[in-house]
Amino acid sequence: MTDLGLTTKPSRRYPAGPLSISQIHRMLRDPYYRGVVTYKGKQYVGRHEAIVDPDLFERVQHVMDHRSTNGQRDRRHFHYLKGVLWCGRCHEHGRSSRLIFTLAKGRSGQHYGYFLCRGRQDGACDLPYLPSDQVEWAVADHYATLGLPADFRDEVTEAIQQTVTDEQSTVRELHDGYRKRLAALDVREEKLLDLAEDGSLPREKIRVRLRKIQIERADAERGLAETGEKLAIGAAVLQRYIALLERPHDLYAKATDGARRDLNLASYTKLWVEEHGVIADQKTDPVRELHDAAMTYATRTVEVTNGAPEGHAVNDPETFVLADLFHEGSSKNVLVPPVGLEPTLNRF
């Protein structure tokens, strides 16, 4: 990059030189290069021409997120379990220590992979070195606990489809609101242009007001484009998680190392490992919520079978979780709030 002319700006004290790693990192993260500007914390389509394709930009973000998630650093040794494994022995004693992946060279010159507790390096833990293949099998076996019952998956899928259908009228109303807002902005802009021609308002004030209208118009146009997408995206994400949890053990066993890493990031934030296997886990929010809902579903099924269902109406979409869908008196329509669509969908 330096040879091609991309360098730092020269100053009185320092000549032009190579960009630092942090500068390159900021460039790769900057949405300006894909045609987007940021104003007061919100992003708007800019008037400048994008120099990076949006799909390429998103792929770069995906790679960088994977490399920076949970403290993963792959510059020395790669392993798809790095970053998600924690010491089970330390966990049982109230300590928090990661498992570190390392390669040891045998007498024959062959390298063998091991996981060791970070606390062992400080003399605080006596967990022995765990062969990487042993840990890999333990994690694969643990995926058998991640599956969801078929009847629960079917009912949630049906609820999603019903919710999407019910919310179409709300989406149409929001679209109408955005169209009216755009029409009102056009009227305001025309009036300002008339005032500019008459000279009855200072030009600087006109520029400021026109710029504000441009920002509001970009926000309304974005809302018009995204309103219908948010519901569909949220439903698609939830459906993908349900498909993932249909037969997770088989899926994980057949996956490549890269795909296993993606599955780990999607399913768990922490796995605590001991000599005899995985002793505890911390699931990602979507997976945890699906499992909580499955437990509530199973409890409701038992209560109905015993003839003693408990009433529990849920009407507030701000506090609604998926498990509430299976309480007696709940409505499937609260899967998505009537205005805005963000709160519940962010959960999935």
Side-chain angles (χ1 to χ4, degrees):
M1 292 172 66
T2 304
D3 292 341
L4 291 172
L6 184 59
T7 63
T8 59
K9 289 183 178 181
S11 65
R12 292 181 179 179
R13 296 183 59 185
Y14 302 103
L19 297 177
S20 66
I21 295 298
S22 61
Q23 287 173 315
I24 296 174
H25 183 275
R26 286 196 298 271
M27 289 170 58
L28 293 174
R29 288 290 196 189
D30 194 342
Y32 183 85
Y33 299 111
R34 65 178 179 93
V36 173
V37 295
T38 303
Y39 179 76
K40 292 186 177 180
K42 293 185 178 181
Q43 293 186 345
Y44 304 94
V45 177
R47 291 181 291 179
H48 63 287
E49 183 178 354
I51 62 173
V52 177
D53 180 81
D55 291 336
L56 174 60
F57 183 85
E58 292 304 323
R59 290 202 302 273
V60 171
Q61 306 314 303
H62 179 72
V63 171
M64 294 179 71
D65 289 341
H66 272 35
R67 293 298 176 88
S68 62
T69 300
N70 297 331
Q72 295 176 15
R73 292 187 178 90
D74 297 330
R75 288 186 289 274
R76 294 190 61 189
H77 303 307
F78 169 83
H79 196 286
Y80 61 86
L81 288 173
K82 285 178 65 175
V84 74
L85 299 182
W86 293 72
C87 177
R89 189 164 297 183
C90 287
H91 180 63
E92 290 176 336
H93 289 84
R95 299 190 300 268
S96 182
S97 299
R98 290 183 181 273
L99 291 188
I100 302 171
F101 178 70
T102 186
L103 288 174
K105 189 174 182 180
R107 294 181 180 179
S108 62
Q110 185 175 356
H111 287 84
Y112 300 90
Y114 292 90
F115 283 96
L116 72 147
C117 175
R118 175 68 181 82
R120 181 187 177 94
Q121 295 178 323
D122 300 331
C125 181
D126 59 356
L127 182 74
Y129 282 64
L130 303 178
S132 59
D133 56 350
Q134 174 184 324
V135 177
E136 291 166 8
W137 279 109
V139 173
D141 289 342
H142 190 68
Y143 262 80
T145 67
L146 206 60
L148 296 171
D151 53 348
F152 168 78
R153 295 197 313 270
D154 292 342
E155 184 154 344
V156 172
T157 300
E158 181 183 348
I160 294 170
Q161 293 170 346
Q162 184 62 47
T163 299
V164 171
T165 301
D166 293 345
E167 290 299 317
Q168 290 306 309
S169 59
T170 302
V171 170
R172 284 193 292 271
E173 291 176 5
L174 289 172
H175 269 240
D176 290 340
Y178 280 121
R179 290 193 187 97
K180 291 177 181 178
R181 182 179 172 189
L182 286 169
L185 289 172
D186 289 338
V187 172
R188 285 170 56 191
E189 189 175 51
E190 287 294 332
K191 289 181 178 179
L192 280 173
L193 293 174
D194 290 339
L195 290 173
E197 291 181 1
D198 296 341
S200 56
L201 193 67
R203 289 187 175 275
E204 186 59 32
K205 288 187 176 181
I206 291 176
R207 289 196 193 97
V208 172
R209 293 184 184 182
L210 284 174
R211 182 55 184 159
K212 185 177 180 181
I213 289 175
Q214 289 173 351
I215 293 173
E216 290 182 18
R217 178 181 285 113
D219 184 52
E221 288 174 346
R222 188 182 64 204
L224 187 64
E226 293 179 354
T227 299
E229 294 177 3
K230 289 181 180 178
L231 178 63
I233 291 172
V237 169
L238 185 54
Q239 287 170 331
R240 283 198 294 271
Y241 267 102
I242 292 173
L244 166 68
L245 300 178
E246 181 178 357
R247 299 178 68 181
H249 181 266
D250 292 345
L251 180 64
Y252 190 82
K254 297 175 182 177
T256 63
D257 287 355
R260 286 184 176 184
R261 187 179 204 175
D262 287 339
L263 287 169
N264 290 332
L265 290 173
S267 306
Y268 298 107
T269 56
K270 289 183 179 181
L271 288 168
W272 285 276
V273 179
E274 252 271 22
E275 288 180 90
H276 52 275
V278 179
I279 64 168
D281 65 49
Q282 185 179 83
K283 300 176 179 65
T284 58
D285 287 344
V287 174
R288 176 189 53 76
E289 190 163 343
L290 280 166
H291 273 256
D292 289 347
M295 292 178 62
T296 304
Y297 173 80
T299 303
R300 187 200 67 172
T301 303
V302 172
E303 290 174 345
V304 171
T305 302
N306 294 337
E310 295 183 2
H312 179 82
V314 179
N315 298 313
D316 183 6
E318 293 291 338
T319 59
F320 176 79
V321 293
L322 190 61
D324 291 327
L325 179 65
F326 302 106
H327 286 295
E328 191 70 15
S330 299
S331 168
K332 294 179 181 179
N333 291 335
V334 294
L335 271 172
V336 180
V339 177
L341 308 181
E342 292 89 353
T344 305
L345 293 184
N346 284 344
R347 195 175 279 121
F348 302 137

